[in-house]
């Protein structure tokens, strides 16, 4: 029964996006809650704790008379939306094993000039993550072990490869909130703050992404120079590369058309088109609808931990933000200095909270809810929105309990604290002054 519930919930929420019906969102939320209660004890401890905190908080607010029906409905809509966000975009993972280029991506990336290896890896990680989400980490990290075995790289040299390639993979993945229209951070910010859009944020957040790339290239140049002598050149372009590029081009082109011709924003357009195009491509390619249905279901069920984290974070953060009095915000942030202060505070709170185990999505949902009140008071939310996107990017690198860091730690067989703080601590300190200058320039 539970195997059918999750796809049904995703389908209900996608229909809610297309029709604007809150009832379909409530139905989707109910289906997700039913599934999570069925598998609760099999989920990871972090997902269980976050879900429990969310339920306890909502119950306490209800007992105190603070949780109104409209507020509860908004929490249910947010939970359904972000569980579906992950469930629908995660279907792109089905394409990984079907394209030779994705299976041999390390051979392709290790070719070319040594000085371009870091930005090439980071940009590729970002580009693939824009459509595969966490699938890029499984793909790049899982393939790295096989690549090192084939090259018979062991000992300290192997550790150097892991440090360099897994580190840049994570940092490239962390560029997604800054540039990609399919980012969950963009979805949260633009959903809570209708005055902001991906197109209004990206001219500034893209500058932040370029600064991150520049800092990483300088800090990692010696490591990449050391490993470049052990690479193996790729003989020709892998089969199917042109088809993959055509698929990605069609996806982003379709997203652009939907945004232009319909009321959908970029995040919602991606949630609709990714499953539609993926299912269409696989049906045409393999012509096995029953097997595809089972694979789609298994893919969604495999993301139960992340879907619960996303749903709980969105419901908790959005609900708490709605309880903050607007008068407090207006008094504190009514000037350019206040606008800059909110952006910097949000940028720093996100990675700091992530470092001690607080879900970045919950914090972002809370801060985006506060930012939404800027618009109602006639204040500009642009600098604050950019600060939140940058902070979310930093949180992805510095959270030892986040799914991205935990995936890298598992594949590299090293401590998640080493990945979060040992690999990215100094990088963050080096990049922060540049981020402060960017936000100050935006505010003034």
């Amino acid at each position: 029964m539970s195997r059918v519930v999750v796809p049904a919930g995703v389908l209900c929420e996608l229909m809610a996006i297309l029709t604007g019906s809150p009832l379909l969102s409530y139905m989707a939320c109910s289906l997700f809650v039913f599934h999570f209660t069925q598998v609760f004890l099999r989920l990871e401890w972090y997902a269980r704790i976050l879900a429990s905190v969310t339920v306890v908080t909502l119950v306490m607010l209800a007992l105190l008379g603070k949780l109104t029906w409209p507020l509860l409905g908004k929490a249910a809509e947010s939970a359904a939306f972000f569980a579906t966000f992950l469930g629908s975009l995660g279907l792109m993972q089905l394409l990984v094993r079907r394209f030779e280029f994705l299976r041999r991506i390390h051979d392709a990336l290790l070719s070319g000039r040594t000085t371009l290896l870091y930005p090439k890896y980071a940009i590729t990680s970002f580009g693939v993550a824009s459509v595969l989400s966490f699938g890029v980490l499984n793909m790049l990290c899982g393939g790295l072990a096989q690549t090192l075995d084939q090259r018979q790289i062991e000992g300290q040299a192997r550790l150097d490869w892991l440090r360099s390639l897994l580190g840049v993979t994570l940092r490239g993945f962390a560029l997604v909130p800054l540039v990609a229209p399919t980012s969950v951070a963009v979805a949260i910010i633009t959903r809570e703050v209708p005055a902001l859009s991906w197109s209004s944020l990206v001219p500034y957040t893209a500058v932040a992404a370029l600064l991150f790339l520049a800092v990483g290239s300088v800090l990692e140049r010696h490591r990449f120079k050391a490993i470049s002598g052990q690479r193996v050149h790729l003989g020709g372009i892998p089969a199917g590369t042109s088809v993959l590029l055509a698929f990605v081009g069609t996806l982003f082109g379709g997203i652009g058309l939907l945004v232009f011709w319909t009321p959908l924003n970029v995040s919602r357009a991606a949630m609709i088109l990714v499953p539609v195009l993926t299912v269409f491509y696989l049906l045409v390619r393999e012509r096995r609808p029953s097997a595809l249905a089972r694979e789609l279901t298994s893919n969604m069920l495999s993301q139960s931990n992340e879907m619960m984290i996303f749903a709980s974070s969105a419901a908790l953060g959005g609900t708490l933000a709605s309880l903050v009095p607007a008068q407090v915000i207006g008094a504190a942030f009514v000037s350019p200095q206040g606008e800059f202060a909110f952006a910097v505070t949000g940028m720093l709170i996100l990675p700091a909270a992530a470092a001690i185990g607080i879900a970045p999505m919950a914090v972002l949902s809370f801060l985006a809810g506060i930012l939404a009140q800027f618009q109602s008071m006639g204040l500009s939310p642009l600098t604050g929105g950019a600060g939140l996107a940058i902070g979310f990017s930093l949180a992805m690198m510095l959270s030892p309990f986040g799914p991205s860091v935990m995936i890298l730690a598992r594949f590299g067989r090293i401590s998640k604290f080493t990945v979060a703080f040992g690999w990215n601590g100094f990088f963050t300190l080096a990049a922060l002054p540049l981020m402060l200058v960017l936000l100050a320039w935006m505010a003034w």
Side-chain angles (χ1 to χ4, degrees), residues 74 192-194 318 320-330 342 366-381:
K74 182 180 178 182
E192 295 292 336
V193 192
L320 293 178
S322 65
L323 301 176
V324 178
Q327 296 87 342
V328 175
I329 300 172
F342 178 86
F366 173 73
L367 294 174
I370 294 178
L371 184 63
Q373 300 187 37
F374 278 48
Q375 179 183 351
S376 62
M377 292 181 293
L379 303 175
S380 171

Side-chain angles (χ1 to χ4, degrees), residues 278-298:
T278 300
V279 170
F280 176 78
Y281 171 78
L282 294 179
L283 281 176
V284 171
R285 181 178 185 268
E286 300 177 357
R287 303 180 186 277
R288 296 187 301 162
S290 298
L292 178 58
R294 291 192 295 271
E295 191 175 4
L296 293 172
T297 301
S298 297

Side-chain angles (χ1 to χ4, degrees), residues 33-50:
V33 169
F34 175 80
H35 168 69
F36 293 144
T37 56
Q38 297 295 307
V39 301
F40 186 80
L41 295 179
R42 298 197 297 271
L43 296 176
E44 295 178 358
W45 65 270
Y46 185 74
R48 296 200 306 268
I49 289 176
L50 182 58

